[in-house]
Amino acid sequence: MSDKRIALVTGASRGIGAAVAKRLAADGYFVVVNYNGSAQRAQEVVTQIVAAGNDAVALQCDVSDFDACGELIARITADYGRLDVLVNNAGITRDGLLMRMSEADFDAVIDTNLKGAFHTIRHAGRQFLKQRSGRIINIASVSGLLGNAGQANYAASKAGVIGLTKSVARELASRQITVNAVAPGFIATDMVDAMTDSAKAAVTDHIPFGRIGEPEEVADVVAFLASDAARYVTGQIIAVDGGMSIGC
Ligand code: NAP
């Protein structure tokens, strides 16, 4: 049990998820740092949070597995008695032009990015309804707003996350549960590090701010949506993209 509010951040072993976990821990949450394969990196995130005087635990779960998500949520509510914030951040890319994209690469991205969010919301929703409170924050992408050549699977998954966010927001609003999404542009993480320098330069040309964003700049907006200041905000998609999606 913990006397703190409890936050679950999926895919928090690195990148944006790790920044969100650290920020929510600094804001006073007991944070569950979820990971899939990177046990050591997840433990490093927990160690950093604890060293800063805050509380966290690392728990493995593949979000593409419906039953495993059920077990994760059941363990959190059994161990800590409640769940206050769910951040659906876990995500993957399997980029390629559509005419060369395999069905396996399409399915893998949908299963993690879109179905993963459905799985956790489906299981955590019961707890939120019981509590008559809860915050769900989904990490979408500007690719889901604008589309992106070479990312048909990823853009479809993120557009799906946006539809999921707005629909669930309508369903849970009467119980004062908010459901919002953050749509990052290009953020400096492993996902973007994998790009070539010329590809990064081409992308930067399309960012009005003229630079790639930092994970902490996404975490700041997630922290706002989790906070009491956002209690009357639901069904919204907030782009954190240095202006990339202006005009869409
Ligand atoms: P990243 O550095 O590649 O990290 C991805 C995280 O997701 C890792 O912690 C990874 O855990 C976890 N993950 C992947 N598959 C999982 C699964 N099946 N179950 C549980 N966890 C899983 O990615 P990122 O750049 O921080 O991206 C985080 C989120 O922001 C994603 O949803 C991404 O689509 C979105 N986003 C990123 C950008 C960007 O520019 N970086 C832009 C727009 C949107 P393991 O290491 O343990 O596998």
Side-chain angles (χ1 to χ4, degrees):
M1 285 288 172
S2 170
D3 53 6
K4 292 185 165 184
R5 289 167 298 163
I6 311 296
L8 165 61
V9 184
T10 69
S13 54
R14 50 202 167 91
I16 293 170
V20 169
K22 289 178 203 170
R23 173 59 198 265
L24 292 180
D27 286 352
Y29 291 89
F30 182 102
V31 179
V32 178
V33 173
N34 161 253
Y35 64 98
N36 186 23
S38 305
Q40 195 178 334
R41 292 189 72 171
Q43 199 48 54
E44 282 164 19
V45 173
V46 170
T47 303
Q48 287 168 12
I49 288 173
V50 171
N54 301 311
D55 296 312
V57 66
L59 291 180
Q60 195 280 336
C61 171
D62 176 354
V63 298
S64 69
D65 182 331
F66 182 80
D67 292 338
C69 288
E71 286 164 24
L72 174 69
I73 303 292
R75 177 161 175 199
I76 292 168
T77 53
D79 287 356
Y80 308 112
R82 56 186 298 115
L83 180 63
D84 298 284
V85 176
L86 165 63
V87 182
N88 282 310
N89 167 81
I92 59 168
T93 51
R94 296 281 186 276
D95 294 353
L97 294 172
L98 182 93
M99 293 311 294
R100 291 196 212 123
M101 187 174 287
S102 69
E103 186 184 10
D105 281 347
F106 193 89
D107 287 349
V109 170
I110 297 292
D111 286 351
T112 299
N113 298 8
L114 176 55
K115 287 188 73 183
F118 163 70
H119 295 158
T120 56
I121 293 171
R122 178 68 178 76
H123 292 293
R126 193 182 299 273
Q127 182 67 23
F128 288 148
L129 289 170
K130 206 162 76 181
Q131 292 173 189
R132 290 184 163 268
S133 70
R135 298 289 169 92
I136 300 171
I137 301 151
N138 298 320
I139 307 299
S141 168
V142 291
S143 292
L145 294 167
L146 306 175
N148 195 19
Q151 288 198 315
N153 49 0
Y154 183 78
S157 75
K158 295 300 188 177
V161 165
I162 289 168
L164 178 74
T165 301
K166 292 183 180 180
S167 302
V168 181
R170 288 182 186 274
E171 291 188 24
L172 300 183
S174 65
R175 306 289 182 97
Q176 315 300 304
I177 298 159
T178 71
V179 189
N180 293 289
V182 174
F186 276 86
I187 308 297
T189 69
D190 291 353
M191 209 174 252
V192 165
D193 280 352
M195 293 166 65
T196 62
D197 285 347
S198 61
K200 281 186 207 164
V203 163
T204 308
D205 283 350
H206 295 285
I207 305 175
F209 261 43
R211 66 171 176 85
I212 288 174
E214 296 298 327
E216 291 73 20
E217 293 175 312
V218 180
D220 285 345
V221 178
V222 173
F224 162 70
L225 289 171
S227 76
D228 198 48
R231 63 193 173 280
Y232 200 56
V233 178
T234 198
Q236 301 307 304
I237 315 303
I238 304 181
V240 182
D241 64 355
M244 246 179 110
S245 59
I246 290 171
C248 80

